[in-house]
Amino acid sequence: MDNCVVGERIRGLRLERRMTREELAEAAELSTSFLYEIETGKKGFSAYTLGNLARALGVQTDYILLGKVRKKEDKNLPQAEGKASLDSLLNIQQLLLDAYHEIQVLIDD
């Protein structure tokens, strides 16, 4: 997952919805500076933050991560409703690992 591409997608969605960075940050329960770092690709974010951003922007998490919403008919999706695609789970796993490593760095300092 490319942080710059995802950040640009978030920024584009924010601008489409005519939201200021401050408005989106508040709606997603983030600081404005952290949202700036996400939008510019300087920082990744956790699965929790992904969910908050998706909710605040009114899109599915797949769209933020992949730029498209996977349809139920997609052969790559599990057939049972409510299950996330393998790609989404792997992306979320990577986000969690990145967050874990950032926390470890903070603890070690």
Side-chain angles (χ1 to χ4, degrees):
M1 181 175 70
D2 184 339
N3 286 346
C4 289
V5 172
V6 172
E8 287 173 14
R9 194 171 297 125
I10 291 168
R11 182 176 182 272
L13 287 166
R14 176 177 61 78
L15 294 175
E16 281 177 17
R17 283 148 181 76
R18 298 176 188 242
M19 296 176 81
T20 65
R21 190 171 285 127
E22 292 78 14
E23 289 170 334
L24 178 55
E26 184 177 337
E29 301 175 8
L30 305 172
S31 70
T32 305
S33 60
F34 184 49
L35 179 57
Y36 170 79
E37 291 176 317
I38 290 171
E39 287 185 350
T40 57
K42 294 177 181 176
K43 292 242 174 144
F45 49 88
S46 68
Y48 178 79
T49 298
L50 173 63
N52 283 351
L53 285 166
R55 179 186 41 76
L57 292 166
V59 297
Q60 294 181 10
T61 56
D62 276 359
Y63 186 78
I64 290 176
L65 295 175
L66 306 172
K68 62 182 179 176
V69 176
R70 297 203 176 204
K71 300 206 180 340
K72 201 162 60 167
E73 307 86 47
D74 191 336
K75 291 179 183 177
N76 295 327
L77 282 178
Q79 292 304 310
E81 255 187 65
K83 288 191 176 181
S85 69
L86 180 58
D87 288 343
S88 292
L89 291 174
L90 292 173
N91 284 328
I92 291 170
Q93 180 184 22
Q94 186 60 50
L95 290 169
L96 290 171
L97 286 171
D98 291 346
Y100 172 79
H101 291 296
E102 289 181 30
I103 291 169
Q104 283 300 109
V105 168
L106 291 172
I107 290 172
D108 292 342
D109 286 343

